[in-house]
Amino acid sequence: MMIESQDLEGLLRDYFSSNEQRIIIICPFITNSILESILPSDAADNVTIVTSWRKDHLRNKVSHVDLFPLSEERGWTLYHNDKLHLKFYSNNLEDCFIGSANLTG
């Protein structure tokens, strides 16, 4: 199924709103505003995020380390992998969205 990029934020917001188990996001480029928009306000210790903080990406401002304090504040588990290219969004690994869209708006 093809999804227009402007629809992805709403689609993921709806998708994650019904999750009571583990939310898994694997994406190299994430902005806090989009992440806060798509995740339920009560999503705490059930969120796992894997992102990238390569030096060149930080320098070019496509990766953002300000995700770290947000994750810490919300109780989310945060990992980084600088070889990451995958964009993967899943509810408890029961189903998922895989594509080319980063969470940057």
Side-chain angles (χ1 to χ4, degrees):
M1 160 176 50
M2 292 292 291
I3 300 168
E4 296 296 321
S5 61
Q6 64 268 22
D7 297 330
L8 182 63
E9 184 177 347
L11 180 92
L12 289 176
R13 185 180 309 113
D14 292 344
Y15 177 67
F16 289 134
S17 69
S18 63
N19 186 10
E20 297 179 8
Q21 297 183 11
R22 174 125 338 250
I23 292 172
I24 300 163
I25 295 174
I26 302 173
C27 183
F29 309 139
I30 302 172
T31 59
N32 286 1
S33 60
I34 298 296
L35 200 56
E36 289 177 296
S37 171
I38 65 169
L39 292 178
S41 59
D42 61 347
D45 60 349
N46 66 329
V47 175
T48 300
I49 300 167
V50 183
T51 193
S52 173
W53 289 332
R54 277 183 19 197
K55 289 179 186 177
D56 58 324
H57 292 163
L58 292 168
R59 213 175 5 258
N60 294 324
K61 299 185 180 178
V62 292
S63 287
H64 305 278
V65 294
D66 58 347
L67 178 57
F68 176 76
L70 177 66
S71 297
E72 190 173 56
E73 172 187 311
R74 301 284 173 94
W76 301 336
T77 302
L78 179 64
Y79 299 101
H80 88 275
N81 180 328
D82 290 338
K83 295 181 180 183
L84 185 64
H85 186 71
L86 176 69
K87 287 79 171 186
F88 175 91
Y89 312 103
S90 179
N91 271 330
N92 206 41
L93 296 177
E94 293 178 6
D95 52 24
C96 69
F97 289 97
I98 297 175
S100 60
N102 289 292
L103 293 179
T104 57

